[in-house]
């Protein structure tokens, strides 16, 4: 029968980004308010949700916005009493290195006409392809509402889109789009620009991750008033989690009376220490170029070796200065109409350039005019040289940077990882290897919490079930 309902686990979470804070919340939601959760974080709470201060105002330096279909994130914001930030609209354009290949106007129909004029019905075919993927992906919320969980990424993808989704992790975006009749020119000009903006990668990346990123470019986006990282600190506070500021160095398996017990060793300014837990969730990327990979696993047979694959470095530079609009073909800065610039594969030194707003927007706030000094967010694969900054800006007051191991380098890993590394040891970030976004981390957090819960109470009918669409329909 396993453990009776009164026997509660003692869980710990490694990492306090969106994945770690969401899984702490979901674990408590399932196991009940009496469960006390330790959360280890070596840096600041929020992880890749972070802000940088410029002129006494705070700006997003990590994930800047969420898609309207991000249902878990929407729930968190409601639950925590947070608000959506007021949107200050601005026009976008795609820069091809010498000129703009596509420019947005203020007129929706004119934008559609321009897309059709340049690319025929490629944009409609792209939209249909993305919508089909998203419609199937959204099934995950129904499965999770019914308590179903998956022990590996492949099982989760298969339950949503069968072999189609699994195959999409092995074929490129370009291949998949050409098959549905999208032209190479549209892929080079538009699709590549969107993928560079979200992942810093090209249309050679796998189709599934690409589709999720392209979905983000089509819907309405939103962000949190006061900063997106407030969701993480809010969830940890709500959960009354015990946040331990330390670096976890190892997880060692001990067995007591046939039950797994995990010893988590960590170090902080005070020195080295360790604690024992029934459930451990790793909510930080385990990969070759991450210092968290100094985290070792001991006492496991077979050994846990789940570290292959690299991450894509992304540098975010917040530049307070005057844009050099001449570089983009506008000698008079007053006439420069764009707030967001995406790029095709050329110029290669930057991916996006955005005239950004602070995380607190007052009712009287207006976006700076192009000839005024503004705060621009430049995303680039490497730190910008002084000469590159001089190319983009006539002059500037300050430059502040954040360097992220932002997303997996897709294609650098031969297989999809598993959430369950051992009986009650879980790897939340496994799902990033299929697609990477804040909402994907929240979906993974809910999956891991359900997996831990179903395994703890031996409810194996709720794990890795086939034909779930049929099951869920009959349960309704």
């Amino acid at each position: 029968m396993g453990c009776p309902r009164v026997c509660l686990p003692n869980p710990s979470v490694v990492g306090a980004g969106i994945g770690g804070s969401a899984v702490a919340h979901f674990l408590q939601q399932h196991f009940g308010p009496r469960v006390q959760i330790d959360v280890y974080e070596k840096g600041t709470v929020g992880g890749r949700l972070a802000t940088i201060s410029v002129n006494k105002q705070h700006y997003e330096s990590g994930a800047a916005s969420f898609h309207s279909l991000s249902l878990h994130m929407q729930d968190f914001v409601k639950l925590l009493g947070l608000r959506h930030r007021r949107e200050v609209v601005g026009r976008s354009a795609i820069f091809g290195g010498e000129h703009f290949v596509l420019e947005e106007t203020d007129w929706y129909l004119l934008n559609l006409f321009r897309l059709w004029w340049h690319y025929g019905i490629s944009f409609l075919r792209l939209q249909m392809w993305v919508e089909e993927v998203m419609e199937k992906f959204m099934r995950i919320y129904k499965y999770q509402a019914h308590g179903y969980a998956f022990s590996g990424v492949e099982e989760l993808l298969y339950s949503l889109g069968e072999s189609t989704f699994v195959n999409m992790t092995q074929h490129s975006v370009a291949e998949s789009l050409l098959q549905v009749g999208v032209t190479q020119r549209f892929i080079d000009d538009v699709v590549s620009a969107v993928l560079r903006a979200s992942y810093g990668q090209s249309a050679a990346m796998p189709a599934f991750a690409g589709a999720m990123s392209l979905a983000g470019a089509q819907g309405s986006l939103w962000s949190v008033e006061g900063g997106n990282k407030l969701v993480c600190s809010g969830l940890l506070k709500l959960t009354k989690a015990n946040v331990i500021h330390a670096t976890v160095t190892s997880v060692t398996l001990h067995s007591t009376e046939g039950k797994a017990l995990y010893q988590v060793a960590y170090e902080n300014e005070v020195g080295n220490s360790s604690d024992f837990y029934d459930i451990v969730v790793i909510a930080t990327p385990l990969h070759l170029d991450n210092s968290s990979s100094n985290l070792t696993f001991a006492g496991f047979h077979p050994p846990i070796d789940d570290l292959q694959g690299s991450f894509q470095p992304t540098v975010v530079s917040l530049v307070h200065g005057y844009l050099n609009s001449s570089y983009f073909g506008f000698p008079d800065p007053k006439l420069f109409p764009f707030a967001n610039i995406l790029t095709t594969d050329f110029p290669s030194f930057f991916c996006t350039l955005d005239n950004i707003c602070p995380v607190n927007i007052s009712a009287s706030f207006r976006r700076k005019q192009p000839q005024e000094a503004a705060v621009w967010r430049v995303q680039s694969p490497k730190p910008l040289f002084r000469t590159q900054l001089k190319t983009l800006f006539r002059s500037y007051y300050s430059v502040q940077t954040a360097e992220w191991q932002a997303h997996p380098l897709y294609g650098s890993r031969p297989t999809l990882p598993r959430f369950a590394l051992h009986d009650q040891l879980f790897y939340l970030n496994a799902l990033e290897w299929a697609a990477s976004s804040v909402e994907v981390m929240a979906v993974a957090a809910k999956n891991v919490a359900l997996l831990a819960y179903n395994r703890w109470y031996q409810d194996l009918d709720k794990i890795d079930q086939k034909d779930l669409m049929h099951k869920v329909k009959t349960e309704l």
Side-chain angles (χ1 to χ4, degrees), residues 131-157:
E131 276 172 12
E132 194 183 337
V133 171
M134 285 311 290
E135 200 180 311
K136 287 178 177 166
F137 182 76
M138 298 298 283
R139 292 171 175 173
I140 192 66
Y141 298 108
K142 200 167 263 183
Y143 297 167
Q144 292 187 336
H146 284 75
Y148 289 103
F150 303 93
S151 51
V153 174
E154 195 164 323
E155 288 86 339
L156 184 146
L157 291 181

PDB file of all heavy atoms in Angstrom, residues 131-157:
ATOM      1  N   GLU A 131      -0.342  27.076 -34.665  1.00  0.00           N
ATOM      2  CA  GLU A 131      -1.610  26.891 -33.930  1.00  0.00           C
ATOM      3  C   GLU A 131      -1.890  25.418 -33.664  1.00  0.00           C
ATOM      4  O   GLU A 131      -2.365  25.051 -32.601  1.00  0.00           O
ATOM      5  CB  GLU A 131      -2.773  27.530 -34.691  1.00  0.00           C
ATOM      6  CG  GLU A 131      -2.882  29.020 -34.390  1.00  0.00           C
ATOM      7  CD  GLU A 131      -3.899  29.731 -35.277  1.00  0.00           C
ATOM      8  OE1 GLU A 131      -4.683  29.046 -35.966  1.00  0.00           O
ATOM      9  OE2 GLU A 131      -3.894  30.973 -35.276  1.00  0.00           O
ATOM     10  N   GLU A 132      -1.549  24.579 -34.642  1.00  0.00           N
ATOM     11  CA  GLU A 132      -1.775  23.133 -34.479  1.00  0.00           C
ATOM     12  C   GLU A 132      -0.901  22.582 -33.339  1.00  0.00           C
ATOM     13  O   GLU A 132      -1.358  21.794 -32.507  1.00  0.00           O
ATOM     14  CB  GLU A 132      -1.438  22.416 -35.796  1.00  0.00           C
ATOM     15  CG  GLU A 132      -1.948  20.990 -35.827  1.00  0.00           C
ATOM     16  CD  GLU A 132      -1.550  20.267 -37.117  1.00  0.00           C
ATOM     17  OE1 GLU A 132      -1.278  20.937 -38.138  1.00  0.00           O
ATOM     18  OE2 GLU A 132      -1.488  19.032 -37.072  1.00  0.00           O
ATOM     19  N   VAL A 133       0.364  23.048 -33.284  1.00  0.00           N
ATOM     20  CA  VAL A 133       1.269  22.610 -32.216  1.00  0.00           C
ATOM     21  C   VAL A 133       0.747  23.101 -30.864  1.00  0.00           C
ATOM     22  O   VAL A 133       0.675  22.335 -29.894  1.00  0.00           O
ATOM     23  CB  VAL A 133       2.709  23.135 -32.465  1.00  0.00           C
ATOM     24  CG1 VAL A 133       3.611  22.868 -31.263  1.00  0.00           C
ATOM     25  CG2 VAL A 133       3.295  22.495 -33.719  1.00  0.00           C
ATOM     26  N   MET A 134       0.353  24.369 -30.799  1.00  0.00           N
ATOM     27  CA  MET A 134      -0.075  24.942 -29.512  1.00  0.00           C
ATOM     28  C   MET A 134      -1.370  24.300 -29.015  1.00  0.00           C
ATOM     29  O   MET A 134      -1.530  24.063 -27.819  1.00  0.00           O
ATOM     30  CB  MET A 134      -0.265  26.460 -29.638  1.00  0.00           C
ATOM     31  CG  MET A 134       1.029  27.237 -29.703  1.00  0.00           C
ATOM     32  SD  MET A 134       2.214  26.782 -28.413  1.00  0.00           S
ATOM     33  CE  MET A 134       1.411  27.437 -26.958  1.00  0.00           C
ATOM     34  N   GLU A 135      -2.266  24.002 -29.937  1.00  0.00           N
ATOM     35  CA  GLU A 135      -3.537  23.379 -29.552  1.00  0.00           C
ATOM     36  C   GLU A 135      -3.285  22.037 -28.855  1.00  0.00           C
ATOM     37  O   GLU A 135      -3.899  21.713 -27.842  1.00  0.00           O
ATOM     38  CB  GLU A 135      -4.383  23.161 -30.812  1.00  0.00           C
ATOM     39  CG  GLU A 135      -5.852  22.983 -30.526  1.00  0.00           C
ATOM     40  CD  GLU A 135      -6.635  22.773 -31.820  1.00  0.00           C
ATOM     41  OE1 GLU A 135      -6.446  23.568 -32.768  1.00  0.00           O
ATOM     42  OE2 GLU A 135      -7.391  21.793 -31.878  1.00  0.00           O
ATOM     43  N   LYS A 136      -2.321  21.278 -29.396  1.00  0.00           N
ATOM     44  CA  LYS A 136      -1.987  19.985 -28.782  1.00  0.00           C
ATOM     45  C   LYS A 136      -1.219  20.185 -27.468  1.00  0.00           C
ATOM     46  O   LYS A 136      -1.439  19.464 -26.502  1.00  0.00           O
ATOM     47  CB  LYS A 136      -1.150  19.132 -29.748  1.00  0.00           C
ATOM     48  CG  LYS A 136      -1.980  18.587 -30.902  1.00  0.00           C
ATOM     49  CD  LYS A 136      -1.130  17.800 -31.872  1.00  0.00           C
ATOM     50  CE  LYS A 136      -1.973  17.204 -32.988  1.00  0.00           C
ATOM     51  NZ  LYS A 136      -1.147  16.720 -34.095  1.00  0.00           N
ATOM     52  N   PHE A 137      -0.304  21.166 -27.452  1.00  0.00           N
ATOM     53  CA  PHE A 137       0.485  21.399 -26.242  1.00  0.00           C
ATOM     54  C   PHE A 137      -0.421  21.797 -25.073  1.00  0.00           C
ATOM     55  O   PHE A 137      -0.177  21.403 -23.924  1.00  0.00           O
ATOM     56  CB  PHE A 137       1.553  22.477 -26.471  1.00  0.00           C
ATOM     57  CG  PHE A 137       2.412  22.711 -25.251  1.00  0.00           C
ATOM     58  CD1 PHE A 137       3.405  21.813 -24.910  1.00  0.00           C
ATOM     59  CD2 PHE A 137       2.192  23.807 -24.420  1.00  0.00           C
ATOM     60  CE1 PHE A 137       4.182  21.996 -23.762  1.00  0.00           C
ATOM     61  CE2 PHE A 137       2.952  23.997 -23.271  1.00  0.00           C
ATOM     62  CZ  PHE A 137       3.957  23.090 -22.948  1.00  0.00           C
ATOM     63  N   MET A 138      -1.489  22.556 -25.372  1.00  0.00           N
ATOM     64  CA  MET A 138      -2.383  23.045 -24.311  1.00  0.00           C
ATOM     65  C   MET A 138      -3.105  21.898 -23.592  1.00  0.00           C
ATOM     66  O   MET A 138      -3.665  22.100 -22.516  1.00  0.00           O
ATOM     67  CB  MET A 138      -3.417  24.021 -24.887  1.00  0.00           C
ATOM     68  CG  MET A 138      -2.856  25.289 -25.499  1.00  0.00           C
ATOM     69  SD  MET A 138      -1.969  26.351 -24.358  1.00  0.00           S
ATOM     70  CE  MET A 138      -3.327  27.106 -23.474  1.00  0.00           C
ATOM     71  N   ARG A 139      -3.063  20.688 -24.165  1.00  0.00           N
ATOM     72  CA  ARG A 139      -3.671  19.536 -23.479  1.00  0.00           C
ATOM     73  C   ARG A 139      -3.004  19.281 -22.127  1.00  0.00           C
ATOM     74  O   ARG A 139      -3.604  18.692 -21.238  1.00  0.00           O
ATOM     75  CB  ARG A 139      -3.496  18.259 -24.329  1.00  0.00           C
ATOM     76  CG  ARG A 139      -4.283  18.259 -25.610  1.00  0.00           C
ATOM     77  CD  ARG A 139      -3.874  17.067 -26.477  1.00  0.00           C
ATOM     78  NE  ARG A 139      -4.704  16.990 -27.678  1.00  0.00           N
ATOM     79  CZ  ARG A 139      -4.497  16.140 -28.670  1.00  0.00           C
ATOM     80  NH1 ARG A 139      -3.492  15.275 -28.603  1.00  0.00           N
ATOM     81  NH2 ARG A 139      -5.294  16.119 -29.723  1.00  0.00           N
ATOM     82  N   ILE A 140      -1.747  19.721 -21.984  1.00  0.00           N
ATOM     83  CA  ILE A 140      -1.003  19.440 -20.748  1.00  0.00           C
ATOM     84  C   ILE A 140      -1.752  19.982 -19.534  1.00  0.00           C
ATOM     85  O   ILE A 140      -1.731  19.372 -18.461  1.00  0.00           O
ATOM     86  CB  ILE A 140       0.446  20.001 -20.817  1.00  0.00           C
ATOM     87  CG1 ILE A 140       1.299  19.448 -19.669  1.00  0.00           C
ATOM     88  CG2 ILE A 140       0.497  21.505 -20.799  1.00  0.00           C
ATOM     89  CD1 ILE A 140       1.565  17.977 -19.688  1.00  0.00           C
ATOM     90  N   TYR A 141      -2.441  21.119 -19.693  1.00  0.00           N
ATOM     91  CA  TYR A 141      -3.136  21.720 -18.547  1.00  0.00           C
ATOM     92  C   TYR A 141      -4.290  20.829 -18.086  1.00  0.00           C
ATOM     93  O   TYR A 141      -4.550  20.707 -16.898  1.00  0.00           O
ATOM     94  CB  TYR A 141      -3.639  23.125 -18.898  1.00  0.00           C
ATOM     95  CG  TYR A 141      -2.508  24.073 -19.243  1.00  0.00           C
ATOM     96  CD1 TYR A 141      -2.282  24.489 -20.555  1.00  0.00           C
ATOM     97  CD2 TYR A 141      -1.651  24.543 -18.249  1.00  0.00           C
ATOM     98  CE1 TYR A 141      -1.235  25.345 -20.865  1.00  0.00           C
ATOM     99  CE2 TYR A 141      -0.597  25.402 -18.560  1.00  0.00           C
ATOM    100  CZ  TYR A 141      -0.394  25.797 -19.862  1.00  0.00           C
ATOM    101  OH  TYR A 141       0.649  26.629 -20.169  1.00  0.00           O
ATOM    102  N   LYS A 142      -4.949  20.208 -19.048  1.00  0.00           N
ATOM    103  CA  LYS A 142      -6.055  19.292 -18.722  1.00  0.00           C
ATOM    104  C   LYS A 142      -5.510  18.056 -18.010  1.00  0.00           C
ATOM    105  O   LYS A 142      -6.048  17.621 -16.995  1.00  0.00           O
ATOM    106  CB  LYS A 142      -6.776  18.903 -20.022  1.00  0.00           C
ATOM    107  CG  LYS A 142      -8.177  18.388 -19.802  1.00  0.00           C
ATOM    108  CD  LYS A 142      -8.950  18.316 -21.114  1.00  0.00           C
ATOM    109  CE  LYS A 142      -9.807  19.538 -21.313  1.00  0.00           C
ATOM    110  NZ  LYS A 142     -10.623  19.480 -22.527  1.00  0.00           N
ATOM    111  N   TYR A 143      -4.418  17.495 -18.549  1.00  0.00           N
ATOM    112  CA  TYR A 143      -3.807  16.308 -17.927  1.00  0.00           C
ATOM    113  C   TYR A 143      -3.384  16.623 -16.492  1.00  0.00           C
ATOM    114  O   TYR A 143      -3.604  15.838 -15.576  1.00  0.00           O
ATOM    115  CB  TYR A 143      -2.575  15.840 -18.708  1.00  0.00           C
ATOM    116  CG  TYR A 143      -2.834  15.381 -20.131  1.00  0.00           C
ATOM    117  CD1 TYR A 143      -1.781  15.183 -21.020  1.00  0.00           C
ATOM    118  CD2 TYR A 143      -4.126  15.137 -20.589  1.00  0.00           C
ATOM    119  CE1 TYR A 143      -1.990  14.768 -22.317  1.00  0.00           C
ATOM    120  CE2 TYR A 143      -4.350  14.717 -21.892  1.00  0.00           C
ATOM    121  CZ  TYR A 143      -3.284  14.541 -22.757  1.00  0.00           C
ATOM    122  OH  TYR A 143      -3.498  14.124 -24.041  1.00  0.00           O
ATOM    123  N   GLN A 144      -2.760  17.800 -16.328  1.00  0.00           N
ATOM    124  CA  GLN A 144      -2.271  18.161 -14.995  1.00  0.00           C
ATOM    125  C   GLN A 144      -3.426  18.410 -14.026  1.00  0.00           C
ATOM    126  O   GLN A 144      -3.342  18.060 -12.852  1.00  0.00           O
ATOM    127  CB  GLN A 144      -1.335  19.375 -15.089  1.00  0.00           C
ATOM    128  CG  GLN A 144      -0.043  19.029 -15.818  1.00  0.00           C
ATOM    129  CD  GLN A 144       0.996  20.128 -15.802  1.00  0.00           C
ATOM    130  OE1 GLN A 144       0.690  21.305 -15.652  1.00  0.00           O
ATOM    131  NE2 GLN A 144       2.258  19.754 -15.995  1.00  0.00           N
ATOM    132  N   ALA A 145      -4.525  18.982 -14.532  1.00  0.00           N
ATOM    133  CA  ALA A 145      -5.693  19.213 -13.680  1.00  0.00           C
ATOM    134  C   ALA A 145      -6.266  17.884 -13.183  1.00  0.00           C
ATOM    135  O   ALA A 145      -6.863  17.819 -12.105  1.00  0.00           O
ATOM    136  CB  ALA A 145      -6.747  19.998 -14.447  1.00  0.00           C
ATOM    137  N   HIS A 146      -6.069  16.813 -13.960  1.00  0.00           N
ATOM    138  CA  HIS A 146      -6.543  15.481 -13.560  1.00  0.00           C
ATOM    139  C   HIS A 146      -5.480  14.686 -12.800  1.00  0.00           C
ATOM    140  O   HIS A 146      -5.677  13.511 -12.498  1.00  0.00           O
ATOM    141  CB  HIS A 146      -7.006  14.678 -14.794  1.00  0.00           C
ATOM    142  CG  HIS A 146      -8.340  15.112 -15.312  1.00  0.00           C
ATOM    143  ND1 HIS A 146      -8.500  16.284 -16.031  1.00  0.00           N
ATOM    144  CD2 HIS A 146      -9.576  14.572 -15.192  1.00  0.00           C
ATOM    145  CE1 HIS A 146      -9.779  16.423 -16.350  1.00  0.00           C
ATOM    146  NE2 HIS A 146     -10.449  15.403 -15.848  1.00  0.00           N
ATOM    147  N   GLY A 147      -4.320  15.330 -12.527  1.00  0.00           N
ATOM    148  CA  GLY A 147      -3.309  14.691 -11.680  1.00  0.00           C
ATOM    149  C   GLY A 147      -2.336  13.768 -12.393  1.00  0.00           C
ATOM    150  O   GLY A 147      -1.597  13.027 -11.755  1.00  0.00           O
ATOM    151  N   TYR A 148      -2.313  13.806 -13.737  1.00  0.00           N
ATOM    152  CA  TYR A 148      -1.400  12.917 -14.478  1.00  0.00           C
ATOM    153  C   TYR A 148       0.008  13.525 -14.582  1.00  0.00           C
ATOM    154  O   TYR A 148       0.152  14.735 -14.722  1.00  0.00           O
ATOM    155  CB  TYR A 148      -1.945  12.653 -15.887  1.00  0.00           C
ATOM    156  CG  TYR A 148      -3.165  11.761 -15.887  1.00  0.00           C
ATOM    157  CD1 TYR A 148      -4.435  12.291 -16.074  1.00  0.00           C
ATOM    158  CD2 TYR A 148      -3.044  10.388 -15.669  1.00  0.00           C
ATOM    159  CE1 TYR A 148      -5.569  11.476 -16.056  1.00  0.00           C
ATOM    160  CE2 TYR A 148      -4.158   9.570 -15.651  1.00  0.00           C
ATOM    161  CZ  TYR A 148      -5.422  10.116 -15.841  1.00  0.00           C
ATOM    162  OH  TYR A 148      -6.524   9.296 -15.820  1.00  0.00           O
ATOM    163  N   ALA A 149       1.030  12.654 -14.515  1.00  0.00           N
ATOM    164  CA  ALA A 149       2.419  13.112 -14.592  1.00  0.00           C
ATOM    165  C   ALA A 149       3.236  12.173 -15.470  1.00  0.00           C
ATOM    166  O   ALA A 149       2.818  11.052 -15.758  1.00  0.00           O
ATOM    167  CB  ALA A 149       3.019  13.170 -13.191  1.00  0.00           C
ATOM    168  N   PHE A 150       4.422  12.643 -15.863  1.00  0.00           N
ATOM    169  CA  PHE A 150       5.290  11.884 -16.780  1.00  0.00           C
ATOM    170  C   PHE A 150       6.700  11.830 -16.209  1.00  0.00           C
ATOM    171  O   PHE A 150       7.201  12.822 -15.695  1.00  0.00           O
ATOM    172  CB  PHE A 150       5.290  12.549 -18.160  1.00  0.00           C
ATOM    173  CG  PHE A 150       3.898  12.669 -18.718  1.00  0.00           C
ATOM    174  CD1 PHE A 150       3.161  13.833 -18.507  1.00  0.00           C
ATOM    175  CD2 PHE A 150       3.301  11.605 -19.377  1.00  0.00           C
ATOM    176  CE1 PHE A 150       1.848  13.931 -18.972  1.00  0.00           C
ATOM    177  CE2 PHE A 150       1.996  11.699 -19.840  1.00  0.00           C
ATOM    178  CZ  PHE A 150       1.264  12.864 -19.635  1.00  0.00           C
ATOM    179  N   SER A 151       7.334  10.661 -16.348  1.00  0.00           N
ATOM    180  CA  SER A 151       8.665  10.513 -15.755  1.00  0.00           C
ATOM    181  C   SER A 151       9.783  10.932 -16.712  1.00  0.00           C
ATOM    182  O   SER A 151      10.921  11.095 -16.303  1.00  0.00           O
ATOM    183  CB  SER A 151       8.879   9.078 -15.278  1.00  0.00           C
ATOM    184  OG  SER A 151       8.569   8.177 -16.316  1.00  0.00           O
ATOM    185  N   GLY A 152       9.449  11.132 -17.997  1.00  0.00           N
ATOM    186  CA  GLY A 152      10.458  11.589 -18.962  1.00  0.00           C
ATOM    187  C   GLY A 152       9.852  12.592 -19.927  1.00  0.00           C
ATOM    188  O   GLY A 152       8.633  12.652 -20.099  1.00  0.00           O
ATOM    189  N   VAL A 153      10.717  13.373 -20.555  1.00  0.00           N
ATOM    190  CA  VAL A 153      10.257  14.391 -21.514  1.00  0.00           C
ATOM    191  C   VAL A 153       9.591  13.726 -22.717  1.00  0.00           C
ATOM    192  O   VAL A 153       8.565  14.183 -23.224  1.00  0.00           O
ATOM    193  CB  VAL A 153      11.438  15.285 -21.956  1.00  0.00           C
ATOM    194  CG1 VAL A 153      11.016  16.252 -23.055  1.00  0.00           C
ATOM    195  CG2 VAL A 153      11.976  16.064 -20.755  1.00  0.00           C
ATOM    196  N   GLU A 154      10.165  12.611 -23.169  1.00  0.00           N
ATOM    197  CA  GLU A 154       9.610  11.926 -24.344  1.00  0.00           C
ATOM    198  C   GLU A 154       8.172  11.454 -24.065  1.00  0.00           C
ATOM    199  O   GLU A 154       7.286  11.605 -24.906  1.00  0.00           O
ATOM    200  CB  GLU A 154      10.504  10.749 -24.737  1.00  0.00           C
ATOM    201  CG  GLU A 154      10.183  10.249 -26.135  1.00  0.00           C
ATOM    202  CD  GLU A 154      11.275   9.361 -26.726  1.00  0.00           C
ATOM    203  OE1 GLU A 154      12.475   9.620 -26.496  1.00  0.00           O
ATOM    204  OE2 GLU A 154      10.898   8.407 -27.407  1.00  0.00           O
ATOM    205  N   GLU A 155       7.940  10.887 -22.866  1.00  0.00           N
ATOM    206  CA  GLU A 155       6.579  10.425 -22.508  1.00  0.00           C
ATOM    207  C   GLU A 155       5.597  11.594 -22.495  1.00  0.00           C
ATOM    208  O   GLU A 155       4.469  11.474 -22.970  1.00  0.00           O
ATOM    209  CB  GLU A 155       6.588   9.759 -21.114  1.00  0.00           C
ATOM    210  CG  GLU A 155       7.268   8.396 -21.075  1.00  0.00           C
ATOM    211  CD  GLU A 155       8.770   8.466 -20.859  1.00  0.00           C
ATOM    212  OE1 GLU A 155       9.392   9.518 -21.110  1.00  0.00           O
ATOM    213  OE2 GLU A 155       9.327   7.440 -20.442  1.00  0.00           O
ATOM    214  N   LEU A 156       6.044  12.725 -21.957  1.00  0.00           N
ATOM    215  CA  LEU A 156       5.167  13.906 -21.900  1.00  0.00           C
ATOM    216  C   LEU A 156       4.818  14.372 -23.317  1.00  0.00           C
ATOM    217  O   LEU A 156       3.640  14.590 -23.635  1.00  0.00           O
ATOM    218  CB  LEU A 156       5.854  15.021 -21.115  1.00  0.00           C
ATOM    219  CG  LEU A 156       5.032  16.291 -20.880  1.00  0.00           C
ATOM    220  CD1 LEU A 156       5.364  16.902 -19.522  1.00  0.00           C
ATOM    221  CD2 LEU A 156       5.262  17.340 -21.955  1.00  0.00           C
ATOM    222  N   LEU A 157       5.817  14.499 -24.171  1.00  0.00           N
ATOM    223  CA  LEU A 157       5.579  14.960 -25.546  1.00  0.00           C
ATOM    224  C   LEU A 157       4.691  13.973 -26.294  1.00  0.00           C
ATOM    225  O   LEU A 157       3.787  14.375 -27.025  1.00  0.00           O
ATOM    226  CB  LEU A 157       6.904  15.141 -26.297  1.00  0.00           C
ATOM    227  CG  LEU A 157       7.808  16.282 -25.836  1.00  0.00           C
ATOM    228  CD1 LEU A 157       9.053  16.347 -26.698  1.00  0.00           C
ATOM    229  CD2 LEU A 157       7.083  17.620 -25.854  1.00  0.00           C
TER     230      LEU A 157
END
